[in-house]
Amino acid sequence: MADHEGKTVTSGSNAGSGNMIFEPILEDGVFRFDCSGNDRHTAYPSISFVNSRSRDTPITSDKVPSYTPTFQCLLDQQVVKLELPIGTSFYGTGEVSGQLERTGKRVFTWNTDAWGYGPGTTSLYQSHPWVLAVLPNGEALGILADTTRRCEIDLRKESTIQFIAPSSYPVITFGPFASPTAVLISLSKAIGTVFMPPKWSLGYQQCRWSYLSDQRVLEVARTFREKHIPCDVIWMDIDYMDGFRCFTFDKEHFSDPKSLVKDLHHNGFKAIWMLDPGIKLEEGYFVCDSGFKNDVWVQKADGAPFVGDVWPGPCVFPDYTQSKVREWWANLVKEFISNGVDGIWNDMNEPAVFKVVTKTMPESNVHRGDKELGGCQSHSFYHNVYGLLMARSTYEGMKLANEKKRPFVLTRAGFVGSQRYAATWTGDNLSTWEHLHMSISMVLQMGLSGQPLSGPDIGGFAGNASPRLFGRWMGIGSLFPFCRGHSEKSTSDHEPWSFGEECEEVCRLALKRRYRLIPLIYTLFYFAHTRGTPVATPTFFADPKDPTLRKLENSFLLGPVLVYASTLRYQGLDKLDCTLPKGIWLSFDFDDAHPDLPALFLKGGSIIPLGLPLQHVGEANPSDDLTLLVALDEHGKAEGFLFEDDGDGYEFTKGKYLLTHYVAELQSSVVTVSVSKTEGSWERPKRHLHIQLLLGGGAKLDTRGMDGEALQVILPSEEEVSKLVFTSEKQYKKRLENTVQIPDVEEVSGPKGAELSRTPIELKNSEWVLKVVPWIGGRIISMMHIPSGTQWLHSRIEINGYEEYSSIEYRSAGCSEEYSVVDVELEHAGEEESVVLEGDIGGGLVLQRQIYFPKNTANVFQIDSSIIARSVGAGSGGFSRLVCLRVHPTFSLLHPTESFISFTSVDGSIHEVLPEDGEQFFEGNLIPNGEWRLIDKCLGLALVNRFNVAEVFKCLVHWDFGTVNLELWSENRPVSKESPLRISHQYEVVRIR
């Protein structure tokens, strides 16, 4: 490492095992564990903790750990294992896809540009080496592996947590405490709470990659207002820049950003603009010149600035691990804000780098970090915190620009502690029902890992949402903490009005719901900021002792409000069967019941504040009416809170706020609602107060008065209450029946004008689940190996995936033409499932493929591909043009730096093909001897591809941006009816350790 030799990460104990040693830190019930006293004293500073010294300073406590981790140090790896009681449920693990309950899963913390990820993807954009364990008795325990390095979180063994990362690192346990909420409050004392968001940032936000001109931005904003659809923010993606140069504006299409923002502000909108870390390497570009002058760039091992390709082409990257660089960036942000920028979006900050298989910069790069962060280290040490430190720099720059306003930053990459500086979203998801379902668990996992301000791209980023999918997603997404619609270029428009009148109305109703609930959401964020309590939580938080609630994935809690949604295409609210926690849960809505909106329930004993159905947050004023929705518990009591301030700035930290504690009590058929106590010096607005008392079945009793007064609701007789409930339920059912539903349109136009289904054909047995899209190239888009839970292939539909071509040219009917489903055998679940597809490739030829599970071999699936002559011309002697059958699978690499290809050639030579080897052909006696393997060392698995050597003349390995192609090529020759080209091959997953 040239000048930096001796300053890289060093290992702790390379041998040894046993119980870890502990000391209490922070507060009673929190313990730090190390492998040895020497490891404790030589540990690197904590970046996740607000104050690293608090992790390193023991406290006096009489408590001892209830559970002690064991360790084993071997080959520079530290393995930490914590065994808990049988019946323990695992959650957390940060930004992850897949199931809510994490038992059986394995996660690798390595921030990755994971475009189009699937449920089995093991590394996404953020890293949280953290597990929340809910014990059988409802108590909870948290465990944090406090390392920035690549870390494996292995939860595959029941009730056992295992961390594996380069040694040495401490682990911190929190609890066991009485509830999961108590654990998260304790965690927040270590890693900090979420920044207090400006109130406007809780409104709906509209984005697209990209709105290509200021006029288009204003057109979108104007349409929201004309259609009375609530919205507060318009986002500017990367195309607003001049040639993708950060801190610049396109001179033609965004020539006057100040005027644009002025117009947006006039109509009640805020403007958020993107900044990436990749700075175009170009002399004369003021940011680049300034960076070289101030020596701010990440370096290669030889000391030269690292250059990698991103959107502008060759780029250099700020080294945010240095305080001088963070200050340099913050001052650029400060100047940028003067253009009227209201918020900043940090994207591509894993950091993403194009044209390399790892999708990021080399791990050998050097960061000259501050001592308090860990000093000068290789990129492998700082990779996972690069996004956090960029977000921190951006946040500090916004504060420099205007210390009277709260910064709003959104970051794609992050680490434990990112919530102190930025919100986040779940990255480049897909417009599919699977991703809609998964978005609920992903948002909840972020909250359970300390980041409550998150949400997905509503409608999906990649691909075209159908009207019903978009409307259903808006219904759910409108109740997430962060609420933004976003879609990529080349997709159809994804604004709420883009899917027809029925979908537009559902979006309008959904967003009006959100805006009525903003007083509640804002109050929840105040508590999250000041106390560390979560905002959105899994349903089991209502009763952690109830094991039947722990796996529910289509419902969640927003404080005392239970949101129950359908994520199934054919199941609307009218067919939804809700599992409610114990106790009283009373349904309510805003007379807006619709099959594509979620069901809402209020927990008995709760009062929630409701606002008016606004078009934007700033539309309200202090004198507007306030509604309190009241649900009494079995004792006839209820309570709730409302936090109010000016919605921005920091005066609330000086006491200029109003926190009202409302209570309700039933005595002698009279319910009295009053103010129990208040905090803060903010003067109570003179406003009308509307009390709505829930009776059940959506029925309500009302009374009105002035806020601050004790108001009373007189309960009628039980018989009258029953009538009210019966009438309300009848009206509710009638509204659902009379609602105009969003049409079930799930079709797209095929290349020849035919209407072809987008719904994949699913083949499955005990080992594999395959999804095949017949309408474009007969594409296999997903290959999941069930026992290991690994997605070996999960691609977007439009490109990549798994296909065959009819020639050696890339452009081929195999990619672009319609396939016909010749035969599907799915009724025999298991070994006999198969699908046969054919595609017309011209010249009297068809490309035929059969995908099936051979009998008595559940561990493999087979693909037989052929180019068959159907009607070649007589003048050709019965032979076709020259053709080559090219089998072309594109596999996404879960762990690019830990993957390679291994095989033995026909001549007996052994080959290992690494990502840095680039593209390689193997012909003749060098082709694999009927088998080659794609090995993932992190997973300890290999995808074995076996084929008939006699049918294969050439093999190709092509490494790309986080993918690899393992191609089989036939000979290149004419075919006749009697001499088709064939390649038969099969796949199996095997363990390698």
Side-chain angles (χ1 to χ4, degrees), residues 24-26 49-59 189-190:
I25 60 171
L26 289 171
F49 273 53
V50 176
N51 184 349
S52 184
R53 289 189 296 273
S54 65
R55 189 200 67 178
D56 304 332
T57 305
I59 64 168
K189 295 174 184 176

Side-chain angles (χ1 to χ4, degrees), residues 560-690:
V561 175
L562 176 62
V563 179
Y564 226 109
S566 172
T567 56
L568 301 177
R569 174 181 170 187
Y570 296 110
Q571 181 194 60
L573 177 62
D574 50 337
K575 300 175 183 177
L576 191 61
D577 184 19
C578 300
T579 301
L580 301 177
K582 294 176 184 177
I584 297 173
W585 293 89
L586 300 179
S587 63
F588 73 96
D589 59 28
F590 304 103
D591 294 327
D592 58 0
H594 190 285
D596 289 306
L597 292 178
L600 302 177
F601 301 87
L602 183 59
K603 183 179 180 181
S606 303
I607 301 174
I608 60 169
L610 301 174
L612 299 175
L614 310 170
Q615 289 197 80
H616 57 96
V617 172
E619 188 181 358
N621 63 69
S623 63
D624 283 328
D625 287 354
L626 175 69
T627 298
L628 295 181
L629 194 62
V630 181
L632 300 176
D633 63 15
E634 61 272 22
H635 304 295
K637 295 183 178 181
E639 65 175 357
F641 295 87
L642 172 63
F643 173 78
E644 300 172 276
D645 68 349
D646 62 4
D648 207 342
Y650 295 94
E651 291 299 305
F652 76 97
T653 65
K654 303 172 185 177
K656 293 186 178 181
Y657 67 93
L658 179 62
L659 180 64
T660 305
H661 182 195
Y662 293 99
V663 295
E665 186 171 8
L666 170 63
Q667 289 184 333
S668 302
S669 299
V670 176
V671 178
T672 303
V673 181
S674 60
V675 174
S676 171
K677 58 182 178 180
T678 62
E679 294 179 16
S681 61
W682 188 271
E683 185 177 351
R684 181 176 304 281
K686 292 180 174 60
R687 61 189 170 200
H688 293 95
L689 184 63
H690 180 197

Side-chain angles (χ1 to χ4, degrees), residues 114-151:
W115 186 100
Y117 55 85
T121 306
T122 56
S123 297
L124 295 184
Y125 309 88
Q126 303 202 16
S127 294
H128 297 76
W130 157 263
V131 177
L132 175 67
V134 182
L135 306 178
N137 63 359
E139 294 181 347
L141 170 78
I143 180 169
L144 172 70
D146 200 16
T147 175
T148 61
R149 304 290 298 278
R150 186 196 308 269
C151 178

Side-chain angles (χ1 to χ4, degrees), residues 569-570 746-750 754-761 772-776 797 821:
R569 174 181 170 187
Y570 296 110
E746 296 283 343
E747 297 180 338
V748 297
S749 295
E755 294 299 317
L756 302 170
S757 173
R758 291 191 67 134
T759 305
I761 298 169
V772 184
V773 177
W775 63 274
I776 178 166
I797 291 175
V821 179

Side-chain angles (χ1 to χ4, degrees), residues 12-22 32-40 69-73 77-80 167-171:
S13 304
N14 275 326
S17 61
N19 290 335
M20 302 185 81
I21 63 172
F22 74 89
R32 168 179 173 163
F33 290 88
D34 294 273
C35 297
S36 68
N38 181 62
D39 288 326
R40 178 181 295 161
T70 61
F71 78 94
Q72 181 180 18
C73 291
Q77 295 289 304
Q78 176 179 308
V79 181
V80 174
S167 57
S168 60
Y169 58 89
V171 296

Side-chain angles (χ1 to χ4, degrees), residues 468-524:
R468 180 172 291 182
L469 174 61
F470 189 86
R472 192 79 61 81
W473 210 326
M474 183 66 80
I476 298 170
S478 64
L479 298 173
F480 285 143
F482 175 64
C483 181
R484 182 183 77 157
H486 183 36
S487 56
E488 73 171 345
K489 62 172 57 180
S490 79
T491 62
S492 58
D493 288 347
H494 277 60
E495 291 76 36
W497 53 84
S498 304
F499 299 92
E501 292 181 5
E502 297 86 358
C503 181
E504 178 184 323
E505 177 61 13
V506 167
C507 292
R508 184 181 293 107
L509 293 173
L511 291 173
K512 284 185 175 181
R513 276 188 172 189
R514 178 179 184 85
Y515 279 64
R516 295 215 64 185
L517 287 165
I518 278 182
L520 168 66
I521 298 171
Y522 193 55
T523 300
L524 291 174

Side-chain angles (χ1 to χ4, degrees), residues 63 88 138 191 230 275 277 349 366 587 589 594 683 716 759 896 909 932:
K63 286 194 173 184
T88 297
I191 67 170
L275 290 176
N349 54 343
V366 175
S587 63
D589 59 28
H594 190 285
E683 185 177 351
T759 305
S909 58
W932 52 355

